[in-house]
Amino acid sequence: MFGRPGVTTRDRPTIADVARAAGVSKGAVSFALNGRPGVAEETRARILAAARALGWTPSHRARALSSSRAFAVGLVMSRPPELLGADPFFPSFIAGAEAVLVDRQEALVLQVVPGREAEEDSYRRLAADGRVDGVFLTDLRVDDPRIALLEQISLPAVTLGRPDVDSTFPAVVVDERSGIAAAVAHLVALGHERIAHVAGPAHFLHGATRRAAWERTLVDAGLPPGRCLVADFSAAGGARATRELLDTGEPPTAIVYANDLMATAGLAVAMERGIDVPGQLSITGFDDTEIAAHLRPPLTTVRTDAFGWGKVAARTLLDLIDGKPGADVEMPPAQLVVRASTAPPAP
C-alpha cells in the first residue's frame, strides 16, 4: 500500500512518522505538538511543518491514555426532553461552549435525565468512569445539594450563577435582577399600577431571583406587588398562568414574564381573547430570544448573552481542569430592550 513519503504505518501518520520526517525524537514531537516548553522555536516550527505535510491529526484515545484525561466536559440536565428542546437559552449556551471546546479539541457530553435521583447517579457515573474532566452546573437550586455532591466526588465544576450555599467552584454570573428591575420600572414609568408576574419554579434560584426583583422594584416605587403565578418556564405553563390572571375580577394591565417562551404564549392568549397588546395589556419577557423581535407586536424583553455565557463558562471550566485558580466571572448585566409590546395603560 502506497502512502505519503516518509510514512511507514499502514494507517494514519503517527508521532514516530513525524519524528522521522523532522529528524527529531518522539519526545520532542510530543512537546511541540502539545505546546509544551523545552523545544527550540526553530525545531518546533520544523516539527509542525512535518506534521502538516504528513497530514498528522491527534488521536483522542492516545491523548487520553497518555494524560489520564477524558478531554470531555459534561452537562447533565434534569428536565423533560421536550422542554429542553423548546427552551431557546440552552441551544445558544451550548453553541457558545462548543465554540471554545472545538478549538481545544474537547468534547461535550450531554445527558438529559428525568429527575434528581437520576441526575445524582449521572454525576457519580461520569466521575467514576472518568468520562468527563469537569461539568457545567446549570439551573441552580435553592440550597443546591449538587454542590456538596460534586465536591465529594472531586468532579470540577463551573456554576451558571452564584449559588446560595458555600461553594469552592468558580461561578459565571449575570446580574438578572437589574434586567427585571428595569422592566418593572419601565412599566411603572408608563403609568401601570397593576403589574403581575409569571414566575419560574421557586426552587430554581433564577426563578426566585427574578420574582424577588419584580416585587422589590414595585415596593420601591410605592406600589403593592400584583399577583404572582408560578409556572415552569414552558409555553403551556405561561399560557395557563396568563388565562388565570386575565380571568380575575381586576386583571393586570401589565405582565412581567420570567422568560420569553412564557411571554410569547401569553401574547397568544391575549390575541385569542381579542385583548389588544399593548393597548389593553403590556407584556415583557426575559432572554431576548431571536423570535422576540419578530413577534407581532415585537416583544419588550430583557437581553442576556447566552452564547457569550457559554464561551466564558467553557474557558473557565477548562482553566479549572488545567489546574489554574478559579475565580468568579461577572458577565455584562442583563439589559432591557424596549419594543412595541409595552405602552401606557388604557385610560
Side-chain angles (χ1 to χ4, degrees):
M1 179 177 179
F2 295 99
R4 297 182 183 88
V7 178
T8 59
T9 179
R10 292 180 178 272
D11 299 310
R12 60 194 294 169
T14 66
I15 284 182
D17 297 319
V18 176
R20 188 177 299 107
V24 297
S25 68
K26 288 192 294 184
V29 172
S30 178
F31 274 52
L33 295 178
N34 287 291
R36 296 169 60 187
V39 180
E41 286 306 313
E42 181 182 346
T43 304
R44 187 187 306 274
R46 188 166 75 250
I47 291 169
L48 295 177
R52 285 193 299 269
L54 293 173
W56 178 89
T57 56
S59 164
H60 180 85
R61 183 178 181 184
R63 289 175 72 209
L65 289 173
S66 65
S67 63
S68 299
R69 282 272 307 273
F71 293 99
V73 297
L75 175 58
V76 180
M77 306 193 65
S78 175
R79 57 174 60 199
E82 61 272 16
L83 184 56
L84 176 62
D87 187 343
F89 173 84
F90 282 103
S92 295
F93 173 82
I94 290 171
E98 285 282 21
V100 172
L101 297 174
V102 167
D103 284 346
R104 295 277 293 270
Q105 298 177 355
E106 302 271 350
L108 176 65
V109 177
L110 173 64
Q111 294 188 345
V112 182
V113 297
R116 294 192 182 187
E117 186 175 342
E119 184 181 21
E120 180 176 322
D121 289 342
S122 289
Y123 286 124
R124 292 188 183 278
R125 285 197 305 271
L126 288 173
D129 297 344
R131 291 186 59 195
V132 300
D133 301 310
V135 293
F136 300 111
L137 196 61
T138 66
D139 288 339
L140 288 180
R141 297 161 192 156
V142 176
D143 297 324
D144 203 318
R146 297 174 299 171
I147 302 291
L149 170 65
L150 295 177
E151 291 174 344
Q152 176 190 348
I153 62 179
S154 300
L155 189 58
V158 165
T159 63
L160 267 64
R162 190 172 284 115
D164 63 350
V165 296
D166 290 339
S167 171
T168 59
F169 302 128
V172 182
V173 182
V174 172
D175 180 9
E176 300 179 328
R177 292 170 298 181
S178 60
I180 290 289
V184 175
H186 166 66
L187 293 169
V188 171
L190 289 173
H192 291 275
E193 296 183 355
R194 298 197 307 274
I195 302 173
H197 181 48
V198 176
H203 64 274
F204 285 146
L205 270 185
H206 56 302
T209 296
R210 295 172 195 181
R211 176 176 181 168
W214 160 78
E215 186 171 5
R216 180 75 261 167
T217 308
L218 285 174
V219 170
D220 289 346
L223 296 173
R227 289 196 67 193
C228 177
L229 296 182
V230 176
D232 60 359
F233 286 127
S234 72
R240 283 193 299 270
T242 303
R243 293 188 186 100
E244 186 174 341
L245 287 171
L246 296 179
D247 285 341
T248 57
E250 193 174 33
T253 61
I255 305 176
V256 174
Y257 292 83
N259 73 350
D260 282 359
L261 193 58
M262 295 195 296
T264 301
L267 178 59
V269 168
M271 292 177 63
E272 288 171 2
R273 296 190 173 202
I275 297 173
D276 178 60
V277 176
Q280 296 171 284
L281 177 67
S282 287
I283 286 176
T284 71
F286 194 103
D287 285 330
D288 193 25
T289 53
E290 185 177 0
I291 193 65
H294 303 285
L295 298 172
R296 288 295 175 265
L299 183 65
T300 294
T301 186
V302 176
R303 175 178 296 161
T304 59
D305 182 7
F307 184 85
W309 206 346
K311 291 179 67 175
V312 172
R315 292 193 193 104
T316 304
L317 181 55
L318 293 179
D319 284 348
L320 183 66
I321 291 167
D322 286 340
K324 299 176 183 176
D328 291 355
V329 181
E330 295 280 351
M331 296 287 291
Q335 294 184 334
L336 180 67
V337 179
V338 177
R339 298 194 178 102
S341 68
T342 50

